[in-house]
Amino acid sequence: MLPKMFLRTCPPLKTIVRTHLGYIPFEGRLGPQLNNMQKFILEHKKANLQPVTKVTYTFDPIKENYHSLRNFMFFWNTKKVKATNVKLLVKTEIVDDRRDPKITFDLNDGRQLEIRSGNLTELEIATIVNSYLLPLVKEEEATDTLSKGAAAAAGGKGGKKGRK
């Protein structure tokens, strides 16, 4: 009887369960979720039109689905966004042939990006535009250019130092 007792396997009385699975990345209160307007503002702040030479907005004001394109056009023509590309040409075509609204971006490398924005919101248009254009942005090299006056003040020429 005694040898059978030691050879018999019995299930453990308590199962060990690991509740902590590793590093906890954040502890504390999470902020409120962003609404669509706040998400659009974040997309607007990321906007960069450096790889674009010309933007053409085409819409028919008689159709009901042109409002999001007009709002997008308003925000993408602000000073901050236009400052990313000073040579950008903006053309607005208002048509009356019941066409769906669309945006056409002519890129520097000769390609065209056409976005049909009939059933899209402003946030969706901004997200699509940024997802296509931001990878094409090239980093600008910082070159130091000094004017003649600044170079002279820095010690370029000896200049007069008085009579001897």
Side-chain angles (χ1 to χ4, degrees):
M1 180 91 173
L2 191 60
K4 282 187 173 182
M5 187 171 88
F6 289 115
L7 296 176
R8 187 175 57 167
T9 59
C10 59
L13 300 174
K14 188 165 115 178
T15 58
I16 300 172
V17 178
R18 186 174 175 198
T19 57
H20 180 63
L21 299 177
Y23 175 70
I24 300 172
F26 180 78
E27 290 183 10
R29 180 182 172 276
L30 295 174
Q33 295 291 322
L34 297 177
N35 60 15
N36 285 341
M37 186 176 76
Q38 293 167 334
K39 290 177 186 176
F40 178 78
I41 290 171
L42 289 176
E43 290 291 331
H44 180 258
K45 286 181 181 179
K46 290 192 289 186
N48 193 338
L49 296 176
Q50 181 189 7
V52 180
T53 56
K54 181 180 176 183
V55 180
T56 306
Y57 301 100
T58 306
F59 64 92
D60 184 5
I62 298 182
K63 289 190 85 167
E64 296 87 19
N65 57 2
Y66 75 98
H67 291 288
S68 62
L69 176 69
R70 296 233 1 223
N71 292 336
F72 176 81
M73 183 173 62
F74 172 78
F75 282 104
W76 249 245
N77 285 328
T78 57
K79 290 179 184 177
K80 181 182 177 279
V81 176
K82 280 189 155 185
T84 59
N85 188 355
V86 182
K87 298 178 182 179
L88 180 70
L89 298 173
V90 178
K91 182 179 179 183
T92 305
E93 292 180 358
I94 301 174
V95 296
D96 62 349
D97 55 358
R98 305 289 177 141
R99 239 188 276 177
D100 279 335
K102 69 178 180 176
I103 309 168
T104 305
F105 292 95
D106 294 338
L107 303 179
N108 288 338
D109 54 3
R111 294 184 294 171
Q112 279 192 341
L113 173 64
E114 182 177 313
I115 299 171
R116 297 175 188 259
S117 61
N119 295 324
L120 301 177
T121 63
E122 295 90 348
L123 174 62
E124 293 169 340
I125 297 171
T127 306
I128 291 169
V129 168
N130 282 343
S131 67
Y132 279 104
L133 295 183
L134 290 180
L136 299 175
V137 173
K138 297 176 184 167
E139 295 294 325
E140 295 180 12
E141 296 176 4
T143 57
D144 295 332
T145 57
L146 295 176
S147 64
K148 292 179 183 177
K157 290 187 177 180
K160 293 185 180 179
K161 297 189 181 186
R163 288 188 184 185
K164 289 188 178 182

